[in-house]
Amino acid sequence: MSDVIVVGGGVIGLTTAVVLAERGRRVRVWTRDPAPATASAVAGALWWPYRIEPEALVGDWSLDSLRVYEELASQPETTGVRLVDGMQAGVMLDELGWWARDLPKLRQLAPDELPAGCSSAVGLRLPLIDMPVHLAWLRSRLAAAGSAVEIRGIVSLDEAAARAPVVVNCTGIGARDLVPDDGVTPVRGQLVLVENPGVDTWFVAAEGTATTATYFFPQPGRLVLGGTADEGCWSLASDPAAAAAIVGRCARIRPEIADAKVIGHRVGLRPVRTSGVRLEAGTGPSGSRLVHNYGHGGAGVTVAWGCARAAADLAG
């Protein structure tokens, strides 16, 4: 018998399960999809509070996670976490939230440091996470704490409540039907993977509500190019026209990308919630404790550890 069942095996679910297990709880993760098939596996994944609310809480969750990633970056081959320099275009220092004061090497870039077409940018060093490696590491850390992951789809959270006194719902986009919560909507993201032509810094130019963005992330063995933000779109099929546009936008920043060999395409659905992240506890079936931890939008990796610790506190 488990003390806690965590429903959902993406980065939010696995991180939450690790925190609970390392606090001494008997945890089992139920997930419909294996980790490589989750939306988390598709993520870029750069630490940055993108498409996530509420602003009043996101800063603390993000900085809690940042401190963990900074520690994990000492073993990048094992954890998948590296600290990499880059720039956020279209950003001024005084426009950033209070959380920005703790970001390493943060500075406003001078005009002669900007790529063509950029009027402003900040430079900084941030965690860049190789998600397939990181998800595998989370599962191994969970196993070391005596807990396991079970491939098991459910149609109701009642199924988990019948097997454990505490259930933590980390189902992401699945919460729309499982809770149900019609405030959860997909924001589709498309990526292109290319052979890296020698790019060793990351770049992001994205508006919070725009349907397209320009970014590239140097990951081991590949350069990840993005992206799109198609609200309300459920399609997981790669769009060739969108892929070509992504490569074109990135090549305007780094021309060598134009001739890079394409080695893959990825599509994922960001679980955006109109009223912000749902991180709260209540009473479930038969007096069980039900904790919700979902709706992290495009920043699940960014807030994973902060939200996991908060969810673990709520689990009691």
Side-chain angles (χ1 to χ4, degrees):
M1 183 72 175
S2 300
D3 291 335
V4 185
I5 290 178
V6 175
V7 185
V11 68
I12 295 295
L14 291 177
T15 307
T16 300
V18 165
V19 172
L20 285 162
E22 293 182 348
R23 290 185 182 185
R25 307 299 293 269
R26 295 194 304 271
V27 182
R28 183 167 294 273
V29 176
W30 285 3
T31 177
R32 180 189 62 193
D33 303 311
T38 63
S40 297
V42 179
L46 181 75
W47 182 99
W48 189 261
Y50 171 68
R51 283 185 176 263
I52 184 170
E53 298 286 347
E55 186 177 351
L57 299 175
V58 167
D60 285 328
W61 294 336
S62 299
L63 291 178
D64 280 352
S65 302
L66 176 64
R67 296 180 189 107
V68 175
Y69 292 133
E70 288 173 338
E71 294 176 3
L72 297 180
S74 65
Q75 296 180 295
E77 295 83 5
T78 302
T79 66
V81 182
R82 295 171 297 126
L83 297 178
V84 182
D85 291 324
M87 70 171 68
Q88 282 275 353
V91 174
M92 301 293 292
L93 282 178
D94 58 8
E95 297 173 349
L96 296 174
W98 63 268
W99 46 268
R101 65 173 180 252
D102 288 339
L103 300 186
K105 298 180 66 175
L106 176 65
R107 65 187 183 90
Q108 192 76 50
L109 296 180
D112 61 359
E113 297 177 280
L114 303 177
C118 292
S119 59
S120 65
V122 294
L124 67 167
R125 175 173 293 175
L126 291 178
L128 185 60
I129 298 100
D130 185 349
M131 289 307 294
V133 174
H134 188 64
L135 292 171
W137 173 81
L138 284 171
R139 289 188 65 156
S140 66
R141 182 163 167 172
L142 184 60
S147 297
V149 177
E150 180 179 342
I151 304 301
R152 177 169 179 163
I154 61 175
V155 297
S156 171
L157 293 171
D158 294 1
E159 297 175 47
R163 300 288 295 275
V166 179
V167 175
V168 186
N169 171 27
C170 301
T171 53
I173 198 69
R176 180 178 176 87
D177 295 325
L178 196 60
V179 174
D181 184 345
D182 60 9
V184 178
T185 58
V187 175
R188 178 183 174 278
Q190 180 168 330
L191 305 174
V192 181
L193 311 184
V194 301
E195 292 183 349
N196 194 336
V199 177
D200 59 5
T201 59
W202 56 265
F203 174 89
V204 175
E207 296 291 337
T209 58
T211 58
T212 62
T214 302
Y215 53 84
F216 46 81
F217 305 134
Q219 294 284 17
R222 64 201 187 280
L223 183 65
V224 179
L225 313 180
T228 65
D230 307 312
E231 295 190 20
C233 180
W234 289 90
S235 174
L236 291 174
S238 178
D239 179 348
I246 288 169
V247 173
R249 291 196 300 273
C250 292
R252 284 196 287 271
I253 305 301
R254 293 292 296 261
E256 61 267 43
I257 291 174
D259 297 322
K261 180 181 178 181
V262 175
I263 57 176
H265 300 271
R266 299 289 184 271
V267 176
L269 305 179
R270 305 176 183 94
V272 174
R273 186 167 182 261
T274 53
S275 55
V277 174
R278 187 177 186 187
L279 186 46
E280 61 186 27
T283 302
S286 304
S288 62
R289 188 159 184 81
L290 177 58
V291 179
H292 292 290
N293 182 15
Y294 68 88
H296 302 85
V301 171
T302 300
V303 299
W305 288 92
C307 287
R309 290 168 174 170
D313 291 342
L314 291 172

